């Protein structure tokens, strides 16, 4: 609104500036037309009954590089490289991967990887809003899906179908109604017709629920596993900032089997508690790590204690305080090993 007022104000005194401001407004993306800067000023599709947007545009913040295991990182980076080098592929008679399916448990970086790809490709990231797409009217849901996919095809973009298992369940499931089975057929047809100018990504936490035909429709399938110790160490170093290696190593062990989202949640809880209590972040992180250790069995805590002493570079006294395992027990087990 401010730029519109400025354009009107300068219409008499500085016509060139007024026109440039108007051109800027016409080109700038908005929530109603997120692909306007790519030459598509068409508003996002709406549901015919509720008039709610069928997609939501992800507001990109500062670029955050996801922490991924090497195999997954290589696949995601190749997807980026293919879409950044369309001409080189065309010279060899090739097209980039048009579609990608991200599978894995919650909190392992699937959505973050999609957001990172959109940022690297400088394209809007649009997420299918399943709450708006699903309709109680026969045939309306399939029509809504087509509207969303047609809109995303019209200009270079990245479309994320999050929780794909919600709309692409197995068609041989006797518990599902015919409408959802028809929806799977619609989705498969649309994926087959997807252009190489845009990128279609889908994510699911329950790959076993997907219809078998869905897997074959995606050019690339990437399995995001739970992070191992090295991945957690990298993530914690990114989340915690400048804290000692002792804290990071201890948290890596106390978060064994957790996801990246679990690790970030613990660090953010520690930051909030430290800000409110004026305690050092170092101490709060250790307390939260100890709280997680209390839920573990004695054998697991003993294994963690020995690993911290042998590979974490932490003294026996400090490890005993953190894990609750006596120094005598730690010494005896070290001698035995």
């Amino acid at each position: 609104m401010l730029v519109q007022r400025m354009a009107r104000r300068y219409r008499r005194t500085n016509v060139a500036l007024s026109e440039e401001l108007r051109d800027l407004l016409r080109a700038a993306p908005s929530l109603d037309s997120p692909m306007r800067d790519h030459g598509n000023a068409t508003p996002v599709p709406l549901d015919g009954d509720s008039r709610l947007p069928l997609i939501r545009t992800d507001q990109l913040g500062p670029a955050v590089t996801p922490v991924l295991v090497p195999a997954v990182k290589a696949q995601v980076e190749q997807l980026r490289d293919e879409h950044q080098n369309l001409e080189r592929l065309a010279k060899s008679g090739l097209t980039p991967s048009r579609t990608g399916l991200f599978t894995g448990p919650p909190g392992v970086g699937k959505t973050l990887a999609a957001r990172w790809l959109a940022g690297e490709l400088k394209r809007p990231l649009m997420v299918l809003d399943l709450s708006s797409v699903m309709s109680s009217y026969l045939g309306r849901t399939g029509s809504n899906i087509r509207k969303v996919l047609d809109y995303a095809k019209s200009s270079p973009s990245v479309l994320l179908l999050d929780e794909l298992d919600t709309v692409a369940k197995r068609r041989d499931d006797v518990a599902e109604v015919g409408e959802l089975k028809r929806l799977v057929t619609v989705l498969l047809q649309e994926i087959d017709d997807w252009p190489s100018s845009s990128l279609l990504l889908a994510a699911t936490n329950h790959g076993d629920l997907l219809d078998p035909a869905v897997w074959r429709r995606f050019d690339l399938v990437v399995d995001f596993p739970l992070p191992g110790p090295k991945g957690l160490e990298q993530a914690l170093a990114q989340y915690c900032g400048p804290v000692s290696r002792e804290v990071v190593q201890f948290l890596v062990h106390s978060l064994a089997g957790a996801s990246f989202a679990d690790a970030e949640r613990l660090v953010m809880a520690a930051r909030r508690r430290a800000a409110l209590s004026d305690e050092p972040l170092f101490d709060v992180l250790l307390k939260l790590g100890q709280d997680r250790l209390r839920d573990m069995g004695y054998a697991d805590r003993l294994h963690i204690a020995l690993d911290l002493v042998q590979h974490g570079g932490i003294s026996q006294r400090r490890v005993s305080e953190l894990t609750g395992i006596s120094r005598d027990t730690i010494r005896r087990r070290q001698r035995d090993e």
Side-chain angles (χ1 to χ4, degrees):
M1 291 174 64
L2 175 62
V3 177
Q4 285 177 339
R5 288 199 295 268
M6 292 173 64
R8 286 195 296 267
R9 180 188 305 168
Y10 288 114
R11 193 183 305 167
R12 295 180 181 178
T13 59
N14 192 334
V15 177
L17 176 57
S18 177
E19 287 302 316
E20 287 184 20
L21 290 173
R22 289 179 181 277
D23 290 341
L24 178 64
L25 277 175
R26 282 191 288 267
S30 66
L31 290 177
D32 290 334
S33 300
M35 295 196 291
R36 183 178 292 166
D37 59 340
H38 292 276
N40 183 359
T42 307
V44 297
L46 305 176
D47 178 67
D49 299 309
S50 66
R51 306 306 296 170
L52 292 173
L54 296 175
I55 59 173
R56 67 178 188 271
T57 305
D58 192 89
Q59 299 299 310
L60 299 178
V64 177
T65 302
V67 179
L68 304 171
V69 299
V72 172
K73 183 179 180 182
Q75 289 177 291
V76 174
E77 288 181 344
Q78 180 176 336
L79 198 55
R80 174 203 61 187
D81 295 341
E82 289 178 10
H83 281 264
Q84 286 182 338
N85 298 276
L86 298 178
E87 294 182 0
R88 293 183 61 182
L89 290 176
K91 289 179 180 178
S92 301
L94 301 171
T95 58
S97 300
R98 301 169 300 122
T99 56
L101 175 60
F102 294 167
T103 68
V108 291
K110 300 187 296 294
T111 304
L112 186 60
R115 187 177 294 123
W116 177 81
L117 274 170
E120 289 287 296
L121 298 176
K122 295 180 174 55
R123 297 178 184 177
L125 175 63
M126 296 176 292
V127 183
L128 178 65
D129 193 342
L130 294 173
S131 62
S132 298
V133 167
M134 303 301 286
S135 173
S136 59
Y137 291 98
L138 186 66
R140 181 63 59 81
T141 301
S143 175
N144 285 342
I145 290 283
R146 280 198 173 96
K147 286 181 184 179
V148 170
L149 297 181
D150 287 343
Y151 179 76
K153 289 176 184 178
S154 61
S155 294
S157 62
V158 178
L159 175 63
L160 175 62
L161 306 180
D162 205 4
E163 306 294 344
L164 181 66
D165 50 275
T166 305
V167 293
K169 287 186 177 179
R170 301 175 65 96
R171 284 172 288 184
D172 58 2
D173 188 347
V174 295
E176 292 299 337
V177 297
E179 172 70 2
L180 285 179
K181 294 178 181 180
R182 286 190 292 272
L183 180 59
V184 176
T185 303
V186 170
L187 190 60
L188 294 178
Q189 293 170 348
E190 293 294 328
I191 293 175
D192 285 339
D193 295 334
W194 195 259
S196 58
S197 57
S198 291
L199 179 59
L200 173 64
L201 299 176
T204 178
N205 302 331
H206 305 285
D208 56 308
L209 297 180
L210 294 179
D211 190 271
V214 172
W215 294 88
R216 299 194 299 270
R217 289 323 200 273
F218 286 92
D219 297 333
L220 179 69
V221 177
V222 184
D223 183 33
F224 286 67
L226 284 170
K230 188 173 181 180
L232 279 174
E233 184 175 352
Q234 292 177 334
L236 287 167
Q238 180 175 302
Y239 303 150
C240 296
V243 297
S244 69
R245 187 173 182 274
E246 175 188 19
V247 175
V248 173
Q249 286 295 315
F250 176 63
L251 291 178
V252 165
H253 286 80
S254 61
L255 285 165
S259 66
F260 290 125
D262 294 329
E264 185 177 18
R265 195 178 300 115
L266 182 141
V267 173
M268 292 306 298
R271 287 183 178 278
R272 295 186 187 99
R273 186 183 296 185
L276 293 174
S277 64
D278 292 329
E279 290 183 81
L281 179 61
F282 175 93
D283 294 336
V284 177
L285 285 169
L286 290 180
K287 288 179 182 177
L288 291 181
Q290 285 177 301
D291 290 342
R292 289 186 63 92
L293 279 182
R294 292 194 188 104
D295 297 330
M296 298 183 184
Y298 179 82
D300 291 331
R301 288 189 290 117
L302 176 59
H303 175 75
I304 289 173
L306 293 173
D307 199 47
L308 286 172
V309 170
Q310 295 170 359
H311 307 292
I314 306 176
S315 68
Q316 291 181 357
R317 180 187 298 276
R318 186 59 169 158
V319 168
S320 177
E321 293 172 355
L322 293 172
T323 62
I325 304 298
S326 69
R327 294 174 65 187
D328 289 340
T329 301
I330 295 174
R331 290 196 199 96
R332 184 169 60 254
R333 287 301 299 269
Q334 280 189 297
R335 285 198 302 268
D336 293 344
E337 291 183 3

